[in-house]
Amino acid sequence: MSVHPASRSRVTLGSLAAKKAAGEKIVMVTAYDYPGAQIVEAAGVDVVLVGDSAAMTVLGYDSTVPVTIDEMIMLTAAVRRGLSAPLLVADLPFGSYEASDELAIATAQRFIKETGADAVKIERGGTTVDRARALVAAGVPVVGHVGLTPQTATSLGGYRAQGRTADKAARVIEDAVALQDAGCSLIVVEAVPSSVTAALIPRMEIPVIGIGAGADADGQVLVFHDLLGIYDGGAARFVKRYADLRTDAVAGVTAYANEVRTGEYPAPEHGYAMPADEVARLGELLPQR
Ligand code: KIV
């Protein structure tokens, strides 16, 4: 059943906290453009993330690292125009916030002012905890991201599950708690064993959104292109495909191409008519050949 945007009140950080308190699961999904935003709005999701996964899903880069601030701002502004009820979170791209508090604040302020995003997401613990604290102090709502952090996947040994030993799991949990203490409003935890999430949840007052982190999280996030089967390529084991839009899209464009080649398209009903007397007059107006 679709939910008409006008019938929903706007999702806020407070309403997400209330959902966690009530034990209601939070639904988060990525979107990268205006039609995608309209689709996730109609589906009634709670939070929309303009993830830097856009680098791979819509811009064709081979990782999230190359995407620029300007590219992310253009995509986030397009999503904003298609959304009304869900909370809108924008990923700050790699290299746009890590070096100093001043850099993080300047970048985040650009996103908030130029796109209308409600919050920004930043990756890792460590020095990112300081950046989160500075952003919150500057009035910017922040979402943290721990576990597998794609912007620094190379230093984590690639796109692989994190926290698979007790020591490493403890570090993931410490990072999440430190980000909470720094004032983050939500935490994304990616690709960790379910037992790590189970140990994390009792330590968190803010909602924890999992992706490949088991069923104990307060909510789940998936990439739009993965869950709809748009992206041509292997998906991580945590992805569940709910549609196969790529197959449908290729079939649709192939049928169009065939009909253009055979002359079946366009048919008369796809064209515009002109009154017969005007056609006759046109013949008189034009020089004879
Ligand atoms: O960039 C992204 O899409 C993300 C989600 C996978 C959480 O960070």
Side-chain angles (χ1 to χ4, degrees):
M1 189 188 76
S2 72
V3 180
H4 192 275
S7 68
R8 298 182 65 207
S9 51
R10 202 154 172 167
V11 177
T12 62
L13 295 170
S15 67
L16 294 176
K19 266 184 180 279
K20 176 180 168 87
E24 287 172 33
K25 295 287 186 187
I26 295 167
V27 181
M28 179 167 171
V29 68
T30 67
Y32 312 105
D33 58 17
Y34 179 74
Q38 290 186 313
I39 289 167
V40 299
E41 170 93 39
V45 305
D46 301 307
V47 185
V48 175
L49 169 68
V50 184
D52 58 359
S53 50
M56 300 160 85
T57 56
V58 298
L59 297 178
Y61 295 120
D62 61 6
S63 80
T64 61
V65 169
V67 73
T68 66
I69 296 174
D70 288 341
E71 286 167 332
M72 286 298 295
I73 282 189
M74 190 192 69
L75 299 176
T76 309
V79 170
R80 173 79 283 164
R81 291 190 283 273
L83 279 192
S84 54
L87 190 91
L88 176 59
V89 180
D91 255 343
L92 298 192
F94 179 69
S96 74
Y97 62 91
E98 299 89 333
S100 68
D101 291 349
E102 291 71 22
L103 178 65
I105 292 169
T107 304
Q109 285 176 339
R110 267 199 75 189
F111 272 80
I112 303 288
K113 286 171 71 134
E114 294 177 32
T115 74
D118 299 304
V120 299
K121 181 164 80 58
I122 53 181
E123 292 189 4
R124 293 190 327 115
T127 51
T128 294
V129 175
D130 299 325
R131 302 296 92 84
R133 193 176 296 107
L135 287 171
V136 172
V140 178
V142 180
V143 178
H145 184 153
V146 299
L148 173 57
T149 47
Q151 293 179 357
T152 45
T154 307
S155 64
L156 297 174
Y159 289 86
R160 50 189 4 210
Q162 301 296 306
R164 297 184 87 168
T165 65
D167 286 342
K168 288 181 176 160
R171 220 163 304 139
V172 171
I173 292 169
E174 281 160 17
D175 285 344
V177 171
L179 286 163
Q180 169 173 261
D181 292 346
C184 284
S185 302
L186 293 177
I187 295 283
V188 169
V189 57
E190 178 166 354
V192 300
S194 313
S195 44
V196 176
T197 309
L200 172 65
I201 289 294
R203 293 168 169 80
M204 300 299 282
E205 281 155 29
I206 59 174
V208 174
I209 311 295
I211 173 165
D216 283 327
D218 300 307
Q220 299 290 327
V221 55
L222 277 179
V223 166
F224 185 85
H225 286 52
D226 286 341
L227 82 91
L228 292 179
I230 298 172
Y231 196 48
D232 183 25
R237 68 179 285 155
F238 52 74
V239 171
K240 180 168 176 185
R241 290 230 148 125
Y242 291 86
D244 186 8
L245 293 196
R246 185 174 192 279
T247 302
D248 290 350
V250 171
V253 178
T254 303
Y256 160 70
N258 288 340
E259 289 196 2
V260 169
R261 290 182 183 124
T262 60
E264 196 178 333
Y265 176 83
E269 67 266 27
H270 302 120
Y272 301 95
M274 194 173 168
D277 58 336
E278 291 297 330
V279 176
R281 215 166 65 80
L282 177 63
E284 290 161 15
L285 283 178
L286 294 177
Q288 296 304 313
R289 289 195 152 200

